[in-house]
Amino acid sequence: MKKQIYLFALLTAISHFTCQPKNDDDTPNPMPDPEWQLTTTLNPAGVNPLCAKLDISANVSGKVKIEVIGQDGDASNIVHTFDDITKEHSIPILGLYADYENIVKVSYLNESNEELLRDTLKITTSAIPDLLTQIDIDTQKPDKMEAGLTLVSYRGISNPHIPFMIDAFGKIRWILDYSNHPILNELHYDVGIERLQNGHFYFGEKRTNTIYEVDVYGEVVNSWSLAPYEFHHNVQEKPNGNFLVTASSNNSIHLNGKTTIEDQIIEIDRQGGGIVNVWDLKESLDENRTVWDVNLNASVIDWAHGNAVIFDESDNTIIVSCQKQGVVKLDEDNNVVWILAPYREWGVNRKGDDLNNYLLTPLDANSNPITDADVLNGYANHTDFEWSWYQHAPKLMPNGNIVLFDNGYLRNYTDAEKYSRAVEYEINKNEKTVRQVWQYGKERGTETYSSVVSDVDYLPHTNNILFSPGYKTENGNGLGGKIVEVDYLTKEVVFEARLSGYSSFQFHRAERLSLYPN
């Protein structure tokens, strides 16, 4: 009798753990049918009328795929799948057209990318501000272009500056308009905005001397004061998250007793705030060198005009573009590593270093030193080598070379020949040599000439170069800016846009990037 009781108890326990709940017909209950609720909020931050926030609440976990249907065929569609698998989602819908009933397809997927639910939304947007700019697309080869949109840090109007993104067809698909913002209604970002490693955007603001971090909606999520320094031109995120900033100091005094500006580089602690390092260019460079349009008799002396700074992770140094001196690499103690500039009239710095010892020796195509004094001093060009003049926007390429925008203003100390270039230099810091390995723009002459500002970028997925003269470029219908994407190997133009209109100053920077962070 006891054996029968024990056997019955054991079978009951096994049944408790292995049997599925059953319906009245003894069949297992299926998973619930997927259901969801969708809510959209247009322009949630009040500054980006071409976006919406989509909130989803579902009874089963899944991930969301959205597709904004473009006006110009499949190549203009904006498609993105979010990785988070959960029942609650709050995601941005980006890439809407202005003053238009946008069609947005939404799919709900399981982990195997099988579609559980789908819906089609209609989102009607309002008109965007009259930017007083005309966008003309002259060349467009989407299959050869770097994917993404082109972010234009527009400067054609001010108070505030208004960045926007255009697609391959010249349509504006993203914009930030802070006209009614309580703090940024007079936004002056100088160089412009860029994307952080976390997917947000950031910019330095000249009026408030503050770095701002904003999300894709344009909502301010963080800020860092530069006090007691003043912002100008450029801020760059380091790999550790800190910010390198080109700055001015009211306490910066030239050896002649006058105030100087735009000759400081500072590093801001991203986590704790505050300044963790300062590079005073008067200590490292020659503040008395005047060969590039420097007036030491001015009431306020702009002798260096630092317009860009980047970090070189390979040796823990910074590379600074000084529009009125050249390009210099500095270590973290403000010691000069090398100087990329014509040899003319370099002296000593405040440390007593003879800066002629840090000038890079140019090489010809066969890697032989160029010894012609006229070339070295910048009075003439070599067949294989030209110095950059009043340059902007240096970038490090994956191969370690530097690419920058050579404005060409007063090239060879004259105004006789006007052209700007994207130029790539190979620099050997140990040998202190420089070799020009690639260029584009000289052959375009004045049609891509920009005496100031402007940008160049290396596009890693296609090996293309984005060459962007942004000021008083000849556009056929007036002066403005151009954005030219060229194949690095063939120099074929695969995309070209002209921006013209109210102002001949269209932008300081232009970037190609994905609308959603990768």
Side-chain angles (χ1 to χ4, degrees):
M1 181 68 177
K2 289 183 178 180
K3 289 183 179 180
Q4 290 177 334
I5 293 173
Y6 292 149
L7 180 60
F8 175 80
L10 178 61
L11 291 173
T12 301
I14 293 173
S15 173
H16 175 73
F17 286 105
T18 60
C19 290
Q20 297 287 334
K22 295 184 178 182
N23 295 317
D24 293 340
D25 60 358
D26 288 339
T27 59
N29 280 334
M31 291 290 291
D33 290 335
E35 296 179 352
W36 62 359
Q37 290 183 332
L38 288 75
T39 304
T40 59
T41 304
L42 185 63
N43 192 10
V47 299
N48 186 346
L50 304 186
C51 76
K53 184 175 71 169
L54 174 62
D55 291 307
I56 296 177
S57 180
N59 65 339
V60 296
S61 293
K63 57 184 177 180
V64 182
K65 175 184 176 181
I66 65 169
E67 181 176 8
V68 178
I69 304 303
Q71 296 176 347
D72 299 284
D74 290 346
S76 62
N77 292 348
I78 302 293
V79 183
H80 186 75
T81 301
F82 298 86
D83 294 330
D84 291 342
I85 297 179
T86 182
K87 294 181 180 179
E88 304 290 331
H89 300 265
S90 183
I91 60 174
I93 297 176
L94 306 177
L96 303 177
Y97 295 95
D99 196 18
Y100 184 70
E101 185 180 72
N102 293 267
I103 304 300
V104 182
K105 295 182 179 179
V106 185
S107 299
Y108 201 60
L109 312 176
N110 62 18
E111 291 187 66
S112 302
N113 291 319
E114 297 169 327
E115 187 175 69
L116 304 177
L117 296 163
R118 72 172 69 178
D119 202 349
T120 299
L121 307 177
K122 294 182 179 181
I123 302 177
T124 301
T125 55
S126 58
I128 59 176
D130 182 4
L131 296 175
L132 302 174
T133 192
Q134 177 179 332
I135 303 171
D136 296 297
I137 304 300
D138 294 324
T139 303
Q140 170 217 84
K141 301 177 181 178
D143 58 323
K144 296 183 178 181
M145 294 169 57
E146 185 91 354
L149 302 185
T150 302
L151 169 62
V152 180
S153 290
Y154 183 59
R155 291 281 301 266
I157 57 176
S158 58
N159 295 331
H161 290 152
I162 298 180
F164 58 81
M165 294 189 202
I166 61 172
D167 63 17
F169 303 89
K171 307 284 181 64
I172 294 177
R173 309 290 295 273
W174 184 91
I175 190 171
L176 293 183
D177 176 15
Y178 288 102
S179 298
N180 297 314
H181 194 272
I183 299 173
L184 297 175
N185 54 14
E186 296 183 16
L187 171 62
H188 188 312
Y189 50 40
D190 217 342
V191 163
I193 76 173
E194 294 195 38
R195 177 171 277 159
L196 291 165
Q197 297 173 71
N198 66 10
H200 289 167
F201 294 93
Y202 70 116
F203 50 84
E205 209 282 312
K206 199 166 185 176
R207 186 178 57 86
T208 59
N209 295 310
T210 300
I211 299 169
Y212 291 94
E213 177 182 353
V214 303
D215 61 21
V216 292
Y217 301 117
E219 189 75 52
V220 175
V221 297
N222 215 334
S223 64
W224 298 263
S225 171
L226 303 184
Y229 291 85
E230 297 178 356
F231 173 76
H232 73 86
H233 283 84
N234 190 215
V235 53
Q236 290 289 325
E237 182 187 23
K238 292 179 63 177
N240 67 1
N242 285 358
F243 294 117
L244 292 170
V245 189
T246 57
S248 292
S249 169
N250 291 328
N251 299 319
S252 181
I253 306 298
H254 193 275
L255 287 171
N256 66 13
K258 296 182 178 181
T259 300
T260 66
I261 59 173
E262 304 190 12
D263 56 5
Q264 309 287 311
I265 307 296
I266 61 176
E267 181 176 348
I268 302 294
D269 184 348
R270 175 81 166 277
Q271 299 303 319
I275 298 168
V276 296
N277 203 359
V278 177
W279 293 261
D280 184 343
L281 299 180
K282 298 190 307 301
E283 296 291 332
S284 48
L285 297 181
D286 179 6
E287 65 199 277
N288 290 309
R289 184 172 180 261
T290 61
V291 296
W292 277 8
D293 200 23
V294 175
N295 180 9
L296 298 183
N297 294 316
S299 58
V300 177
I301 301 173
D302 183 12
W303 69 274
H305 199 91
N307 59 33
V309 57
I310 59 174
F311 181 69
D312 188 346
E313 195 171 8
S314 70
D315 57 2
N316 196 34
T317 59
I318 63 171
I319 297 172
V320 184
S321 169
C322 296
Q323 185 191 25
K324 297 185 177 183
Q325 297 295 331
V327 183
V328 58
K329 171 174 273 205
L330 304 171
D331 68 17
E332 59 183 349
D333 296 318
N334 202 18
N335 297 309
V336 177
V337 179
W338 50 250
I339 298 172
L340 174 62
Y343 285 17
R344 184 180 168 190
E345 295 183 18
W346 284 94
V348 298
N349 60 21
R350 291 189 179 186
K351 299 179 180 183
D353 299 326
D354 183 352
L355 296 174
N356 290 282
N357 295 327
Y358 301 95
L359 296 171
L360 295 173
T361 299
L363 305 178
D364 64 19
N366 295 317
S367 296
N368 297 314
I370 297 172
T371 59
D372 186 325
D374 283 345
V375 175
L376 296 178
N377 285 293
Y379 293 107
N381 297 328
H382 189 277
T383 304
D384 300 330
F385 181 86
E386 297 182 35
W387 299 108
S388 62
W389 297 81
Y390 294 81
Q391 73 295 312
H392 287 76
K395 304 288 193 312
L396 285 170
M397 299 176 68
N399 60 8
N401 292 350
I402 291 176
V403 62
L404 55 81
F405 191 96
D406 169 19
N407 292 82
Y409 176 62
L410 296 180
R411 190 181 300 278
N412 308 126
Y413 311 106
T414 74
D415 202 25
E417 194 173 5
K418 294 182 179 180
Y419 57 88
S420 299
R421 305 182 300 157
V423 57
E424 177 189 356
Y425 293 115
E426 178 186 60
I427 294 175
N428 185 318
K429 71 173 184 178
N430 296 321
E431 300 293 332
K432 289 191 171 56
T433 59
V434 56
R435 187 170 66 92
Q436 179 180 299
V437 297
W438 188 90
Q439 67 173 351
Y440 175 84
K442 183 175 182 178
E443 62 273 40
R444 300 286 299 267
T446 56
E447 67 182 21
T448 54
Y449 173 68
S450 181
S451 60
V452 297
V453 301
S454 308
D455 197 12
V456 62
D457 289 295
Y458 174 75
L459 306 178
H461 301 293
T462 53
N463 199 36
N464 291 347
I465 296 289
L466 198 66
F467 173 59
S468 304
Y471 174 76
K472 285 191 175 181
T473 301
E474 295 180 0
N475 275 347
N477 55 353
L479 299 177
K482 280 190 177 74
I483 300 170
V484 185
E485 183 179 353
V486 297
D487 183 291
Y488 180 89
L489 295 177
T490 66
K491 296 187 179 179
E492 176 191 8
V493 175
V494 299
F495 175 77
E496 183 160 336
R498 287 178 287 128
L499 283 71
S500 313
Y502 174 73
S503 172
S504 58
F505 188 174
Q506 288 292 303
F507 56 83
H508 205 310
R509 294 285 194 270
E511 318 282 339
R512 178 67 52 74
L513 72 170
S514 59
L515 186 53
Y516 289 92
N518 293 323

